[in-house]
Amino acid sequence: MASVYHHSAPPRFQQAAPQDEKRESGWRMAGFASLFVPITAAQMPLAVHLPAIYAQQFGLSLAVIGAIFLGERLWGAVADPLIGALSDRTHGRFGRRRPWIVAGSALFGVSGALLFFPAASWVSPLYLTASLFLFYLGWSMVQIPYLAWSGETYGGYHDRTRIATFQTVAGSASLLVVLILPTIIDQISPKDGALKLAAMGSVVLVSLAVSLVLTLRSQAEAPATPSSRARLSLRQTVVALFGHPLLRRVLLSDFAVTVGQSIRSALIVFFVTHYMGLPHWASGLFLFQFVFGIVAGPIWAQIGYRIGKHRAAVAGELVQVVINAGLLLVAPGQIGLLLALTLAQGLAQGSGNLMLRSMVADIADEHRLRTGEDRTALFFSAFSLSSKAGMAAAVGIALPLVGWLGFDPAAPANTPDALRGLLAVFALGPAIAHLLSAWLIHGFPLDEAAHTEIRRALDERDHAFQPAE
């Protein structure tokens, strides 16, 4: 461990004085944060409902849908940093962020209308590919400059926490709405996929129109200022992200966590509808899990305080292994056991994500002590890549795999072998992914004692660099 924390002395620097923070009106901050409603509301339909509906309602094969989503995720990994770089370089009378947000909203809205309100005669693999790629492109054109604008507008330490809280509340409220709507429709017309798409799409598009006005009117964009921080080249960025052994382990573990979660999300509608024979429960079970998932974070945080972050991450992932493997014992129509496992899934939900993201800041501290460079934001940005890669791998593997095993969501009835194949992928896919995540993070060397020593050394060095009074 000594070699991990060995560092050369960084150049002398002078710390900037903290900025004075002025508490801004809650209504103004709520208006600015409202753009998080459509940004977040689009996530659940695309991850859970849209693949199933396009397969069941419009007859697209699972292999084709999986390939389209995989292609989009891979393209997004390239497009997202490109949009960020271009937004940073944009200068004009309307600012750097506003033009991108307005143009992205137009693309987001038009492609969203095509995606959520498709005419049955138009739907084809090409139609889904074009509308999905344009939708995600517009989404990124809104989200990335908007998040940058948030950081520029609310520069104070506590103000950034406050605006993030407003955004989180707005996003959580939108997720609750888009989960409730399909649940209600399941009770009225469980097989009407077009109605579910239209309901969820209406939330996304109406909230986009309202929140765009509120956000743009709530704040004036600050003028761009030249940055004094040296920029990393592409090679230096790749080395910083993937050359660090501890960060690499955390990213690979996060990738495995995301794969497990995304396989479950992509197949839960098929599993409940076709294997369980309970189509009216499909959306309700996901809502049931989500409600209990809200309290999962504080529970696992307390566990982490007691046994350490990496041990809590391993424990959470092993609990997920047991829960998902337990699905193999669920028989069609046996709702009691499924409800119990879903409740347990909710209480274990996000345990790995929570701990892994917390560990990244510890790794950034180690990196700063060793090199003198603060790369905390860069390290956290890598989670966008690991998450997108995990979601792409899950959809790109799980959907074609269950199709190869004989499952057809558009068929009037599936064979027992096909349904058993669906069950095996739905249960064992996440179980194996969570087991891999636990193995990757087991024995993580940067524990509480090591991090306490790192913080002590950082505090001593930072205090020494402060100018004398």
Side-chain angles (χ1 to χ4, degrees):
M1 287 297 294
S3 62
V4 175
Y5 309 124
H6 177 73
H7 63 282
S8 57
R12 185 177 179 88
F13 67 92
Q14 179 176 339
Q15 287 186 331
Q19 294 180 343
D20 293 332
E21 295 183 19
K22 296 181 180 180
R23 190 170 181 84
E24 191 171 353
S25 163
W27 287 109
R28 182 182 293 273
M29 295 186 84
F32 186 81
S34 65
L35 196 58
F36 237 64
V37 172
I39 288 174
T40 309
Q43 294 177 2
M44 193 63 67
L46 293 178
V48 179
H49 296 284
L50 189 139
I53 291 172
Y54 266 76
Q56 293 173 319
Q57 197 82 17
F58 303 112
L60 297 186
S61 76
L62 294 178
V64 168
I65 295 174
I68 292 172
F69 272 81
L70 175 61
E72 191 290 319
R73 293 297 183 184
L74 296 175
W75 157 244
V78 176
D80 286 359
L82 179 61
I83 290 171
L86 291 175
S87 175
D88 287 339
R89 298 173 188 174
T90 299
H91 299 280
R93 56 179 297 194
F94 298 109
R96 291 187 295 168
R97 314 305 181 188
R98 286 170 176 260
W100 283 90
I101 293 172
V102 172
S105 295
L107 185 59
F108 185 83
V110 171
S111 56
L114 295 174
L115 202 58
F116 290 105
F117 300 89
S121 59
W122 293 2
V123 174
S124 67
L126 180 60
Y127 179 93
L128 178 59
T129 300
S131 56
L132 188 67
F133 272 58
L134 292 175
F135 184 78
Y136 271 115
L137 179 61
W139 190 359
S140 295
M141 289 171 63
V142 173
Q143 184 180 38
I144 295 172
Y146 169 69
L147 291 176
W149 188 13
S150 297
E152 293 159 357
T153 302
Y154 301 98
Y157 178 81
H158 294 295
D159 274 347
R160 285 180 173 171
T161 301
R162 195 169 175 227
I163 189 60
T165 302
F166 274 91
Q167 291 168 336
T168 300
V169 170
S172 298
S174 68
L175 280 178
L176 187 60
V177 172
V178 296
L179 280 170
I180 288 175
L181 286 176
T183 304
I184 295 174
I185 294 172
D186 274 343
Q187 307 307 312
I188 302 171
S189 182
K191 296 185 178 180
D192 195 342
L195 180 60
K196 292 179 186 178
L197 272 183
M200 293 182 289
S202 296
V203 173
V204 174
L205 298 182
V206 171
S207 64
L208 174 66
V210 174
S211 64
L212 179 62
V213 175
L214 291 174
T215 298
L216 294 179
R217 288 176 61 90
S218 65
Q219 291 292 346
E221 187 175 348
T225 56
S227 173
S228 60
R229 181 174 179 176
R231 296 181 180 180
L232 293 176
S233 67
L234 177 60
R235 179 181 176 279
Q236 290 172 324
T237 301
V238 172
V239 170
L241 290 177
F242 302 108
H244 196 300
L246 299 183
L247 182 63
R248 188 166 59 242
R249 283 178 66 177
V250 170
L251 292 179
L252 288 172
S253 184
D254 181 71
F255 170 81
V257 171
T258 306
V259 167
Q261 294 169 336
S262 299
I263 289 175
R264 182 178 177 88
S265 297
L267 297 181
I268 189 170
V269 173
F270 296 149
F271 173 77
V272 177
T273 300
H274 296 274
Y275 178 82
M276 295 298 297
L278 301 169
H280 53 288
W281 278 89
S283 299
L285 275 173
F286 208 77
L287 178 61
F288 183 69
Q289 175 184 322
F290 178 80
V291 169
F292 283 96
I294 294 174
V295 301
I299 292 173
W300 285 97
Q302 290 297 322
I303 295 173
Y305 298 152
R306 286 163 172 76
I307 66 175
K309 297 174 187 177
H310 69 280
R311 294 186 184 92
V314 172
E317 293 307 289
L318 293 180
V319 168
Q320 293 270 15
V321 172
V322 174
I323 293 170
N324 284 282
L327 290 167
L328 294 172
L329 303 176
V330 176
Q334 194 179 64
I335 191 62
L337 179 57
L338 182 59
L339 282 174
L341 290 171
T342 303
L343 188 154
Q345 180 73 39
L347 293 176
Q349 182 172 290
S351 54
N353 306 98
L354 174 65
M355 297 302 161
L356 292 171
R357 279 160 176 76
S358 181
M359 290 162 67
V360 170
D362 298 342
I363 297 171
D365 285 340
E366 180 275 330
H367 182 79
R368 182 160 74 93
L369 179 63
R370 179 165 48 86
T371 67
E373 298 287 345
D374 186 355
R375 301 295 185 201
T376 306
L378 178 63
F379 283 10
F380 271 106
S381 72
F383 271 90
S384 174
L385 180 59
S386 66
S387 296
K388 284 192 173 184
M391 287 186 284
V395 176
I397 294 172
L399 295 184
L401 181 57
V402 296
W404 178 74
L405 291 172
F407 175 71
D408 182 0
N414 280 274
T415 66
D417 285 343
L419 293 176
R420 281 192 291 269
L422 172 63
L423 171 65
V425 177
F426 181 70
L428 295 179
I432 293 170
H434 287 295
L435 184 63
L436 177 60
S437 175
W439 175 75
L440 284 165
I441 213 65
H442 174 69
F444 195 76
L446 188 47
D447 57 10
E448 182 179 5
H451 185 254
T452 299
E453 176 62 22
I454 290 171
R455 286 304 315 171
R456 183 194 61 78
L458 282 172
D459 291 342
E460 289 180 356
R461 189 176 70 183
D462 292 346
H463 180 74
F465 292 153
Q466 289 181 352
E469 295 292 339

